[in-house]
Amino acid sequence: MNFNWCAGLFVVLALVAPIYTACPKENQMCLRNGTYQYCDGEERYFTDELKQTNLVYCASMFCEPEEFQHDYITRNHDQTPHQNKWKRARIGERATLHDVCLLRNGMPVTRECRVQDNRAHWESTEHWDPVVCLRRFREHTISGDLNSLHDDLLEGRRRTNDTQGRRAMTGIMRDMFRQRDRTLLPADVHMTGQMFGTLMLQDKDATVSADLVSVCKEIMSCDSQVLRLSAQLNATNSLLSQFESYMDALPEQLVPKDRCGKVVAKPTSDATETAATGVETYNFSDIGVQALITGNISVFFANPECDRITGIAIFSAPGEQRKTSASGYWYRFIRYTEDLAKVKEEAHLETAAFLPENLWRQVNGRGATYLIFKVYAHDALFVETSLQRTRKPRSKVISISIPGLQSNLLSLPLPFLLRNENLRNPDSKAFTFGSGCGYWNYETWSNEGVFTESSSDLLKDAIIECHTYHLTQFAFLVGGSYRTNDLGEEVLITPINEKVLDIISIVGCSLSLLGILGIFLTAALFKSWRSQASTKVLLHLSLAMCLQMVLFVFLNTDDVSEALVVNGNIVRCVALGAAMQYSILVLFSWMLIIAFLQFQRYVTVIGIERPPRYILKAAIVAWLLPLVPTLLVALIDPDSYVPTAAQLSTDTGICYPSGYGLIFGVVLPVTLITVSNLVIFVYVFYSISHSLSQSVHKNEKKMVVKQIRLSIMLFFLLGLTWIFGIFAFMQAGVAFSYLFCITATMQGFVMFIYFVLLDSANRRLWVGLICPTKMEMDVQKRHTELQSMTTSSTNYASRSHQ
């Protein structure tokens, strides 16, 4: 890792006038009074307000990319190792990985770039738990595309050193956020803040302003839980700070002095641009104002030297001199000669702020030329991480910036007005104590340095008058005791395929259990059917299938497995996993036996002689042989049944074999049996097809068609649907996972349809049980038809004899 160093010591004495010093080199980080500041080639003021001397060290501001290995969770809830790489990061920034790596709560796996021995240094991962994360998730998330765009930006694959390149990049990012039905994750908020930070290191470009406003507007509309989680990485503060700083660097391009007084066309927003960005752009450059307006956030740039405009007022209804917007509110500009009391009395006022003439003259004399006002419709981006709060905003948030000032402190108060939204929607928890005007300090809402006009009851005043001696974001705060629920490890994202597959599996297994119940009920009610040899084999298969599905759906769930592991019941977890393994192997043993019997029936038809008590012998083999691999795995590697901590944290772990126990104890025998059954199925299908080609009589063809229908049934009966599961295990594609879950879980239901509903003999048995009268009528009708046919034949024979 290479570092750029500036050796030496800067001793700055501010005795008479402010002293400036230039950063020694671009892209360095300088330490001043324990605080690290970026050096971007511009001059910086290294003395503090107390005129004390400052010690400044400069070093490389970046931690360079570094290799990192972790595991991905696959579609089969298994884990696969992956070699990844940390992205380049600035000091104080939490870097993400080159390949998307997300936790189940939507948070990215991050690593902080710190300072150690005056050097940029990665946070140590020595004591980290093994990292297991997701790469594939909801199809409607933008995390993957946003991550790729961020990589292109960091690695220089996307040109951003000119207006066209920057506009192309921000346009792509804007379109990602404006997609319909997309879901934002905490990782997206974090990555967007990083991209804004990268843009801050380049030339500021007014042409991208609408795109940046559009992105922030969309983020403000996302779920509050997403923003709260992203705030744990300081993502909301980073995004807010970068956005504000970028906007503050644009007024010289948007409202330059040379445009003052020049008449422009009617300042209507360009319809095409508005449709693309969702931002209304109004150009009032003749009076020194430019506006970017949306329903969530609006930015107003003002040059008071053009027409003495030093403020903005927002209204909820139309009125005289008010301009309209498609975002649902009205606004007008305030000149520094206006009276605050009259502005306060205007109807439907939501918020207003302006610099009176004496304050403007003073800040103008200190180097200020422009003013920027940002109006946030709500406090979505102002997220407190504390669970307990004593106040919260109940108004719009207004931000006031004055570029050019060397300090945000003002010698005269700046007035602003806020509507008390507690009157519209009263908060039962709110009380007067602690209420008043406040500001955001990028950690919590505070009221230091902000003064509220005295009132008998702030909670009942419609318009709150405030005064501030410094510049930042302001809101009206109501006091109270507000507790926010701890999100903890709440899962915000579930892979959509996994969620759908879970639903399909549960529905399919439930139908199969109903089908198996129907088979057992039919056997219990009708002795003539259950006494058949084929029915006895079917009942054994149904029992094995029922055992497997009950374990899967009800007993061996992720919640049960997690409870067993957390409570230390490892033996019970092993027993439960072994039972699951055993039930699957028993099921496949019976399917292999059925395949052999079908082979004898349809291929080697001549000379078949069943051995005595063959069903009993088959049952002994099918129920006892699976104990061998099950006991081997349980005795040799019992830990393979216990889910890992990473699987439990992502709700993907059950008590079931993993690793070599899964491969040799389940996958290998299942694969061998499935391949054997597939070979037998091909032989049987060929035999049936060959019989069809040689059939000449109509009745024979009908019989063969019936046998073809039987071959389709055999596909389910022999467990050939598990072929899809084997391909899914080999990660051949998500389509195989869907095919497997749809077909394999429906096996019991299909068996019920074929052996009970479609079997004519069983239908007659059920009809006779449910409607015995109809059965007697059908028997009498068939007897009458037979008697009639017999009589007709006798008469015909008599006439022929005569």
Side-chain angles (χ1 to χ4, degrees), residues 41-275:
E42 299 177 358
E43 289 189 335
R44 289 204 179 257
Y45 183 35
F46 284 136
T47 57
D48 57 21
E49 280 80 20
L50 298 178
K51 306 299 188 217
Q52 295 176 338
T53 59
N54 296 272
L55 186 62
V56 181
Y57 298 95
C58 299
S60 172
M61 63 184 288
F62 287 104
C63 291
E64 298 302 325
E66 185 174 287
E67 298 293 326
F68 181 72
Q69 183 167 334
H70 62 87
D71 286 355
Y72 274 133
I73 297 176
T74 66
R75 297 187 187 99
N76 306 306
H77 297 178
D78 204 354
Q79 296 176 204
T80 178
H82 181 76
Q83 190 69 27
N84 215 326
K85 182 172 65 176
W86 295 107
K87 298 179 184 178
R88 191 174 189 237
R90 298 185 299 274
I91 291 176
E93 185 179 26
R94 299 199 67 90
T96 54
L97 287 160
H98 179 271
D99 299 325
V100 175
C101 185
L102 296 181
L103 304 177
R104 280 299 180 92
N105 57 6
M107 295 276 278
V109 175
T110 62
R111 188 182 184 188
E112 187 178 3
C113 179
R114 297 175 175 175
V115 175
Q116 185 174 339
D117 299 328
N118 293 327
R119 298 188 178 201
H121 199 279
W122 283 113
E123 169 191 2
S124 174
T125 60
E126 182 180 354
H127 301 293
W128 282 19
D129 292 329
V131 174
V132 182
C133 57
L134 291 165
R135 188 172 190 171
R136 300 182 183 276
F137 28 87
R138 284 180 182 158
E139 280 77 352
H140 294 302
T141 58
I142 63 174
S143 302
D145 293 335
L146 194 62
N147 183 68
S148 299
L149 184 64
H150 187 215
D151 283 346
D152 292 345
L153 186 62
L154 287 179
E155 299 176 10
R157 291 193 296 265
R158 186 167 295 278
R159 179 169 53 90
T160 57
N161 57 355
D162 58 19
T163 295
Q164 184 178 359
R166 283 188 289 269
R167 186 66 200 273
M169 190 279 291
T170 58
I172 293 173
M173 180 168 57
R174 172 205 69 210
D175 292 341
M176 289 181 190
F177 279 90
R178 285 179 57 77
Q179 292 176 18
R180 286 189 175 184
D181 301 326
R182 59 98 182 94
T183 301
L184 289 186
L185 303 177
D188 304 329
V189 182
H190 177 68
M191 217 171 308
T192 304
Q194 290 182 315
M195 296 180 72
F196 276 31
T198 304
L199 287 174
M200 281 296 298
L201 298 178
Q202 304 174 357
D203 292 337
K204 313 306 181 294
D205 196 334
T207 61
V208 306
S209 57
D211 291 336
L212 301 185
V213 171
S214 177
V215 170
C216 288
K217 173 184 78 81
E218 297 297 333
I219 291 177
M220 288 181 68
S221 299
C222 74
D223 190 275
S224 61
Q225 289 186 337
V226 171
L227 294 175
R228 284 179 53 208
L229 280 168
S230 63
Q232 295 178 10
L233 298 174
N234 202 40
T236 48
N237 278 336
S238 176
L239 177 67
L240 181 65
S241 176
Q242 305 289 2
F243 173 75
E244 292 252 350
S245 297
Y246 203 97
M247 294 297 110
D248 292 349
L250 300 180
E252 189 172 353
Q253 301 176 48
L254 294 173
V255 285
K257 187 176 180 180
D258 57 13
R259 294 185 191 173
C260 293
K262 293 183 179 179
V263 179
V264 296
K266 187 177 180 181
T268 56
S269 181
D270 182 270
T272 303
E273 182 74 7
T274 301

Side-chain angles (χ1 to χ4, degrees), residues 297-308:
I297 179 173
S298 300
V299 186
F300 298 88
F301 303 89
N303 184 345
E305 295 186 17
C306 291
D307 198 25
R308 301 170 297 164

Side-chain angles (χ1 to χ4, degrees), residues 424-445:
R424 295 174 178 168
N425 301 299
D427 186 348
S428 59
K429 296 182 179 180
F431 45 77
T432 303
F433 179 77
S435 299
C437 308
Y439 72 96
W440 179 249
N441 63 8
Y442 286 88
E443 182 178 350
T444 186
W445 289 99

Side-chain angles (χ1 to χ4, degrees), residues 412-522:
L412 295 173
L414 188 158
F416 59 95
L417 304 172
L418 298 165
R419 175 166 290 278
N420 180 4
E421 295 183 0
N422 196 63
L423 293 180
R424 295 174 178 168
N425 301 299
D427 186 348
S428 59
K429 296 182 179 180
F431 45 77
T432 303
F433 179 77
S435 299
C437 308
Y439 72 96
W440 179 249
N441 63 8
Y442 286 88
E443 182 178 350
T444 186
W445 289 99
S446 175
N447 55 13
E448 296 178 6
V450 183
F451 303 95
T452 308
E453 188 71 15
S454 60
S455 171
S456 58
D457 191 349
L458 285 174
L459 297 182
K460 295 182 180 180
D461 288 346
I463 301 297
I464 308 298
E465 181 180 336
C466 312
H467 299 267
T468 179
Y469 283 91
H470 60 85
L471 302 174
T472 183
Q473 304 93 4
F474 303 96
F476 170 62
L477 310 175
V478 296
S481 179
Y482 303 99
R483 179 169 179 81
T484 306
N485 293 329
D486 186 6
L487 290 176
E489 297 298 325
E490 182 170 349
V491 174
L492 289 186
I493 61 170
T494 301
I496 186 64
N497 291 328
E498 179 184 324
K499 189 173 183 179
V500 173
L501 291 173
D502 285 343
I503 295 174
I504 292 174
S505 299
I506 292 173
V507 172
C509 288
S510 300
L511 289 174
S512 282
L513 288 173
L514 289 175
I516 291 170
L517 178 62
I519 291 174
F520 279 116
L521 187 61
T522 304

Side-chain angles (χ1 to χ4, degrees), residues 540-541 544-545 547-548 551 575 577-593 617-635 641 656-657 661 664-670 673:
H540 278 285
L541 177 67
M545 192 179 303
L547 175 63
Q548 179 224 338
L551 284 168
M580 186 79 172
Q581 177 189 1
Y582 172 74
S583 68
I584 292 176
L585 295 179
V586 169
L587 176 65
F588 272 85
S589 298
W590 276 110
M591 288 191 292
L592 180 62
I593 291 171
K617 296 176 182 178
I620 293 174
V621 172
W623 287 103
L624 294 183
L625 186 61
L627 287 174
V628 176
T630 303
L631 291 175
L632 286 175
V633 176
L635 295 175
Y641 290 97
Y656 193 65
F664 293 106
V666 179
V667 176
L668 181 60
V670 166
I673 293 175

